[in-house]
Amino acid sequence: MDLVSLGQIVISGLANGALYAFVGLGFSLISRSTGIINFAQGDFAMLGAVLTGFLVAGGIPLILAVPLAVLVCGLVGGGLHVLAIQRAERANMAQLIIMTIGFAILIQGAVTWGWGSDPIAIPAFTGSAPLDLFGVTILPQQLWLVGTLALVTALMWFFFQRTVLGLALRAGASNPLGAAFVGINHKRLGAYSFVAGGLLGGLGGAVWAPIAFAQVDIGIALGLKGFTAAALGGFGTTFGPIAGGLIFGLVESLAAGLISSAYTDAISYGLLLVVLIARPQGLLGKIKRGAVDDHREEVLSAGLLATRLSRQDFIRFSVAVVVLLLLSVILAASWKTAALFAGITAIVVIGMVLLTGFAGQISLGQGTFMMVGAYASGYLTLKQGWPPIAAIAFGMVFAGLLALVLGRFIFRLRGYYLAMASLSLLMIFQTLARELHGITGGPNGLPGIAPFNIFGMQFFSDDEVFFVILVATLLCLIAGLSITRSRVGRALLAMRSDELAARACGANVVRLKIGAFVFAAACASLAGSLYVHYLGIANPLPFSFKSSIEHIVALTLGGFLALYGSYFGAAVVVALPSVITTVFGDADTQAGAGLKFLLFGLLVIVVIILQSNGNTRRGSERVRGWLRSGLRLKTAET
Amino acid sequence: MTPVDDGERPVTSPVLQVEELSVQFGGLCAVDEVSFSVEPAEIVGLIGPNGAGKTTTFNCISGVIVPTEGNILIQGQTVTPFTPERACAMGVLRTFQNVRLFGELSLRENIMMGAYSAGRCSMVSAMLRLPIHARLEREAAERADHWMDLLGLMDYADAGATSLPLGLQRVAELARAMAANPQIVLLDEPGAGLNKVEKERLSDILRSIAAETNCALLVVDHDMGLVMGLVERLVVLDFGKLIAQGVPEEMVRHPDVVEAYLGVA
Ligand SMILES: Nc1ncnc2c1ncn2[C@@H]1O[C@H](COP(=O)(O)OP(=O)(O)OP(=O)(O)O)[C@@H](O)[C@H]1O
Ligand SMILES: [Mg+2]
């Protein structure tokens, strides 16, 4: 490779890195002042880019369009904090983070609904004639981007070091009580940081957009890469994300140029995984030693259905099964297919109830483990002639081992690293599935997978498959119930209530979390296998990030602790497109898909607000109930 | 006094030895070269004014924080890394200054959680309900019943733990610790928030525990009446330093102790 191409790679790497730095700055600002990892951070940048494109297309001059778009992003950020996060005051951190996933879905859905998902071209600020520097071409827009970043950095430095409000905000970030002393309440601090996150993301997106295209799909990737920037630089530092973003942009660009452009994503997300595992405090951050970790995690509330699993659950569940069986006989064909997909989703969600509800960990990449099952079933039955049941078992064991290895590293850390780690693992597996043609058949996948069969019985028609999926769902449910009602389930609940106290009782919380993760992975793998045996083809598309969204929505709707709610949540998620089709016309159009995600996002946000408020009511009712029964005891004695 | 031999552990070594323990929070030295030890079945009081470093000392002994300097020996052994779960496995249990019961579990389940360390049972054996699971559950239920019975908690077994009055919650936390069959229990202000009757009941309970189970107790409390009537020996901290230790009667007359509490010599 000659020096000129290398220079070219460095330039484009630095330019992309500047964008990641913008997103990363937003991540670290919000996380420092509120503790929340804001999943919508990349979508702020996407929104900035798309809005600029939309305004320019509408005839508004660029010089007005950019500030307007940035301003709107800031307002959206602040609005989400005021309207959603502040309404869920009793929500715990996991719920708030899931809520920001709701923001991301909401923004993506709204953009798709409003403008579609086609790329929008945006004119460069000052002409697109490239400059020439010793043979290396530099786009003027790249200079704009890096220059804006430099300006923002300088402004932020001035604000945080030289102004009273900035100093107070920094104090507030490390110590809410300190902030209260200088007259800034926690709520306002959070709202400011969300506005700042929106402005930073929007600005980065708007200035970057002319280099490439503005498109709704970039939101997720920008979020992950901006998170990597913040993780590399260290979440606790103000300016670390800038260095992190530039380093990450360079490495990514070098990897693409020197190794292989097909594997760029796999390499850059692999890098994120390595950073999370090897240096969770970031390259520049320091680990605090000896600090007492005395924050009690508040409790995830129950969702729409009841919290504790009792004997009545079995009765309720049996009733539900009977109703389902009847429905499967009565229902029209299209609904039957929906019931079938709902069953598959429910199996994934049952695993997530254990992982998120009981072990308090958020995974955004259960699609990874579904893919493991899907390709294990596809490859082993098609190419190796294994019987389906053996292939399914192999997939479940493999998925479990994968979860075990990842969990061993990730759960040593406190916080919500699993969310990002699992999402980057999903991105890596998506790339691998598209590129490893020999095993996965590439983007076309492995067609011609035989229907599920066991002991010579074929399960071919929808009714027969429905029976298989029903049995599988039931088995997972019984396994899940069996765990949650065991001493291990008690330890999981104890850990959720108070991790330190659980450890002081001798509970090994890392093992418990790994166990829940392995269970969730095995469930997802089973679901993936069943999916491909039903459809007859294994390809990467159904297991993309969109599937993760559906899992999270189903989990939230069904209730974080209610195993038997999984099917309910899954059914809503699967049925919603049909409802949209009925009410608004076709759900398969871009606008319909956008509307679906918009509604998903709204549902997640509203349900979490309801849950977090319901929590307190239920708590006070419990106290009152106890007092009443206590009084009754006393009167009975006298 | 001669401790009762339970047949497994050496009788002579102290159950807990703290050697030159120091904890630094930034510039603040919360605990400064503190050394003391606790013998089996002994009741020792750890006292000192607010901010003296009592809770910090407890946090070190129970593996919650890593001390800046110094050693902690349990039954003559050091363990590294010393984590809360290791502490529990070594027989060091504790209660918390702000009661930390598991809000989502009933009282009985809370105390059964105390017996969690009785044996290991993987998630798979729990899911398949292998015999080990049944055995451990039976054991946990027996211990929970035993301690609820002894501490008068039976009537509230099925109530949500955090819905109970504070006095009962403190007793429940003690029961949870005792269900682990500990060698030593660290009690952080067990009397705080209790009324006079409840406090008297508590000290009766603590005395009978030390007498009957060979379990040592290290008690932090600000109620001198409670502490003096309970403990055999006192360790006094002030500004992180150990200023005196000895029998309670001597300690109340010790000039340094008087100064620490009254601010005058
Ligand atoms: N995590 C921490 N970070 C910084 N300083 C701390 C931390 N924990 C305790 N301290 C400080 O260490 C000192 C000792 O605190 P500690 O809680 O051990 O006192 P204490 O003797 O238990 O007091 P009290 O009787 O009020 O409970 C105090 O000055 C306290 O402010
Ligand atoms: Mg204290």
Side-chain angles (χ1 to χ4, degrees):
Chain A
M1 166 153 304
D2 59 310
L3 228 56
V4 172
S5 330
L6 194 67
Q8 202 64 61
I9 288 173
V10 170
I11 294 295
S12 72
L14 283 179
N16 283 339
L19 175 61
Y20 305 154
F22 271 110
V23 181
L25 277 174
F27 265 116
S28 87
L29 255 179
I30 291 179
S31 127
R32 265 157 53 95
S33 54
T34 63
I36 298 172
I37 299 174
N38 172 30
F39 270 88
Q41 200 52 45
D43 295 292
F44 288 151
M46 179 271 288
L47 188 65
V50 172
L51 266 179
T52 309
F54 176 73
L55 291 174
V56 170
I60 294 173
L62 202 59
I63 195 158
L64 284 179
V66 172
L68 209 62
V70 174
L71 209 66
V72 171
C73 289
L75 287 179
V76 168
L80 288 174
H81 191 270
V82 173
L83 294 177
I85 290 188
Q86 290 187 9
R87 306 256 153 154
E89 242 175 297
R90 299 231 145 211
N92 72 355
M93 199 44 76
Q95 280 175 310
L96 289 179
I97 290 173
I98 291 177
M99 190 184 246
T100 69
I101 298 171
F103 296 164
I105 306 172
L106 183 78
I107 295 176
Q108 287 173 20
V111 168
T112 314
W113 192 40
W115 297 290
S117 52
D118 298 327
I120 309 169
I122 293 164
F125 289 7
T126 47
S128 49
L131 312 171
D132 187 287
L133 188 79
F134 307 118
V136 179
T137 49
I138 302 174
L139 297 174
Q141 194 65 28
Q142 289 174 329
L143 293 180
W144 269 102
L145 186 58
V146 176
T148 314
L149 179 66
L151 188 69
V152 166
T153 312
L155 284 177
M156 274 178 64
W157 182 84
F158 181 78
F159 178 71
F160 279 120
Q161 303 289 333
R162 291 284 181 272
T163 67
V164 177
L165 181 64
L167 287 172
L169 281 176
R170 282 201 333 174
S174 49
N175 178 1
L177 201 66
F181 278 130
V182 292
I184 295 176
N185 77 19
H186 208 54
K187 261 188 191 171
R188 199 175 299 168
L189 182 65
Y192 284 162
S193 69
F194 266 80
V195 171
L199 290 175
L200 281 169
L203 184 62
V207 181
W208 168 82
I211 299 175
F213 290 101
Q215 195 177 3
V216 66
D217 285 346
I218 61 173
I220 301 159
L222 281 185
L224 259 181
K225 290 176 178 176
F227 179 85
T228 314
L232 263 174
F235 267 99
T237 60
T238 312
F239 298 108
I242 297 170
L246 294 177
I247 293 171
F248 183 58
L250 266 182
V251 171
E252 183 187 52
S253 174
L254 285 172
L258 302 178
I259 304 173
S260 142
S261 58
Y263 287 101
T264 313
D265 273 0
I267 293 168
S268 48
Y269 296 126
L271 189 71
L272 168 57
L273 269 181
V274 171
V275 170
L276 285 185
I277 289 166
R279 250 191 104 74
Q281 75 276 32
L283 295 176
L284 309 175
K286 286 193 215 80
I287 271 195
K288 282 188 215 135
R289 279 194 74 245
V292 185
D293 195 18
D294 205 39
H295 305 292
R296 235 174 286 193
E297 295 279 319
E298 265 194 58
V299 172
L300 274 175
S301 60
L304 295 178
L305 302 169
T307 318
R308 291 302 300 280
L309 303 156
S310 66
R311 259 170 225 297
Q312 290 161 342
D313 305 340
F314 275 130
I315 302 167
R316 273 185 235 166
F317 188 74
S318 321
V319 172
V321 168
V322 171
V323 170
L324 276 176
L325 280 173
L326 286 177
L327 281 179
S328 73
V329 181
I330 303 164
L331 280 178
S334 70
W335 284 99
K336 225 174 270 174
T337 323
L340 224 142
F341 283 122
I344 291 175
T345 307
I347 293 177
V348 182
V349 176
I350 287 172
M352 290 172 80
V353 168
L354 236 80
L355 178 64
T356 308
F358 281 79
Q361 295 292 320
I362 303 167
S363 166
L364 285 175
Q366 291 307 96
T368 309
F369 304 110
M370 289 184 84
M371 281 170 84
V372 169
Y375 284 106
S377 281
Y379 182 77
L380 293 175
T381 59
L382 272 180
K383 308 251 165 117
Q384 305 291 333
W386 285 33
I389 191 78
I392 289 177
F394 178 87
M396 288 171 74
V397 171
F398 190 91
L401 286 176
L402 191 63
L404 185 84
V405 172
L406 187 66
R408 280 188 74 94
F409 289 113
I410 291 296
F411 294 140
R412 277 190 324 211
L413 322 165
R414 281 185 58 84
Y416 296 89
Y417 288 109
L418 179 66
M420 286 301 179
S422 59
L423 185 50
S424 36
L425 196 67
L426 177 62
M427 296 298 194
I428 293 170
F429 268 64
Q430 286 271 319
T431 311
L432 292 182
R434 280 194 300 270
E435 300 302 330
L436 296 176
H437 293 261
I439 299 173
T440 63
N444 296 329
L446 298 168
I449 299 170
F452 182 73
N453 66 69
I454 188 168
F455 307 130
M457 281 184 287
Q458 291 275 340
F459 295 88
F460 195 75
S461 73
D462 271 11
D463 281 335
E464 288 158 1
V465 177
F466 184 76
F467 175 74
V468 173
I469 289 177
L470 194 70
V471 170
T473 316
L474 266 177
L475 283 178
C476 287
L477 191 90
I478 290 169
L481 281 174
S482 174
I483 291 175
T484 55
R485 286 147 178 251
S486 71
R487 73 198 315 266
V488 177
R490 188 183 309 125
L492 281 167
L493 274 177
M495 176 177 84
R496 260 171 52 98
S497 297
D498 192 327
E499 188 161 321
L500 178 59
R503 294 179 67 190
C505 287
N508 184 335
V509 294
V510 176
R511 266 173 63 113
L512 285 169
K513 287 175 186 171
I514 291 177
F517 191 32
V518 168
F519 178 78
C523 284
S525 171
L526 173 63
S529 292
L530 293 173
Y531 187 89
V532 297
H533 278 299
Y534 173 57
L535 287 187
I537 178 168
N539 62 347
L541 200 63
F543 311 116
S544 70
F545 177 64
K546 296 222 158 75
S547 73
S548 297
I549 293 180
E550 300 194 342
H551 300 151
I552 288 278
V553 177
L555 173 72
T556 313
L557 293 183
F560 293 114
L561 282 177
L563 277 166
Y564 60 94
S566 322
Y567 197 92
F568 166 77
V572 173
V573 167
V574 172
L576 196 64
S578 321
V579 175
I580 292 176
T581 312
T582 322
V583 181
F584 296 97
D586 199 358
D588 289 335
T589 60
Q590 275 185 8
L595 191 61
K596 180 174 95 173
F597 284 110
L598 187 100
L599 289 178
F600 277 170
L602 275 179
L603 270 177
V604 169
I605 296 167
V606 169
V607 168
I608 288 184
I609 292 176
L610 289 179
Q611 279 173 4
S612 67
N613 297 330
N615 228 3
T616 56
R617 205 170 45 236
R618 231 172 274 144
S620 65
E621 269 166 15
R622 230 181 291 145
V623 174
R624 237 179 291 136
W626 179 83
L627 282 177
R628 237 178 282 134
S629 61
L631 286 176
R632 222 179 296 132
L633 268 179
K634 280 207 187 90
T635 43
E637 272 166 16
T638 49
Chain B
M1 59 170 286
T2 42
V4 186
D5 189 356
D6 65 2
E8 288 170 30
R9 297 171 199 276
V11 197
T12 42
S13 74
V15 59
L16 168 73
Q17 270 170 281
V18 175
E19 291 179 347
E20 314 245 307
L21 187 76
S22 296
V23 178
Q24 207 109 30
F25 290 118
L28 175 85
C29 205
V31 177
D32 197 359
E33 300 196 348
V34 168
S35 307
F36 64 94
S37 63
V38 179
E39 302 293 328
E42 197 182 15
I43 306 183
V44 177
L46 181 65
I47 61 168
N50 286 109
K54 306 178 295 289
T55 299
T56 309
T57 307
F58 269 22
N59 281 342
C60 293
I61 303 173
S62 57
V64 175
I65 59 175
V66 184
T68 321
E69 299 283 345
N71 286 320
I72 289 156
L73 283 78
I74 318 285
Q75 247 107 44
Q77 280 179 283
T78 47
V79 186
T80 39
F82 193 52
T83 57
E85 49 272 26
R86 290 276 185 91
C88 174
M90 301 284 294
V92 179
L93 271 283
R94 71 174 288 181
T95 67
F96 295 90
Q97 188 164 355
N98 309 303
V99 181
R100 300 181 79 147
L101 289 171
F102 304 117
E104 285 186 69
L105 303 181
S106 72
L107 187 68
R108 177 194 298 275
E109 289 170 319
N110 262 279
I111 299 167
M112 285 172 82
M113 241 340 261
Y116 189 75
S117 56
R120 263 164 67 154
C121 160
S122 70
M123 197 173 273
V124 177
S125 8
M127 186 175 83
L128 301 176
R129 290 290 191 276
L130 297 183
I132 172 92
H133 182 262
R135 191 168 62 71
L136 289 173
E137 280 296 86
R138 209 174 328 112
E139 166 107 33
E142 274 166 17
R143 289 194 197 174
D145 285 345
H146 172 74
W147 284 106
M148 283 195 298
D149 198 29
L150 214 65
L151 303 187
L153 294 169
M154 264 314 184
D155 291 346
Y156 316 96
D158 295 319
T162 44
S163 65
L164 294 172
L166 187 64
L168 285 176
Q169 289 196 33
R170 288 206 181 274
V171 178
E173 230 190 1
L174 175 64
R176 184 176 71 186
M178 291 313 300
N181 286 356
Q183 298 297 313
I184 179 168
V185 176
L186 318 174
L187 295 144
D188 202 346
E189 306 203 12
L194 303 197
N195 62 33
K196 208 159 166 258
V197 184
E198 286 174 321
K199 276 185 187 172
E200 269 163 26
R201 222 173 70 81
L202 182 77
S203 45
D204 288 344
I205 290 170
L206 293 178
R207 258 191 300 269
S208 68
I209 283 176
E212 284 162 28
T213 63
N214 192 35
C215 172
L217 301 174
L218 184 59
V219 185
V220 164
D221 211 290
H222 286 296
D223 182 339
M224 283 307 137
L226 177 82
V227 175
M228 292 299 170
L230 183 66
V231 305
E232 299 156 39
R233 206 151 53 81
L234 270 180
V235 175
V236 191
L237 296 183
D238 189 25
F239 289 113
K241 285 200 168 60
L242 189 147
I243 54 171
Q245 57 176 322
V247 292
E249 297 75 39
E250 274 175 32
M251 287 301 104
V252 288
R253 286 191 301 271
H254 196 292
D256 290 349
V257 177
V258 174
E259 185 187 337
Y261 270 90
L262 301 178
V264 286

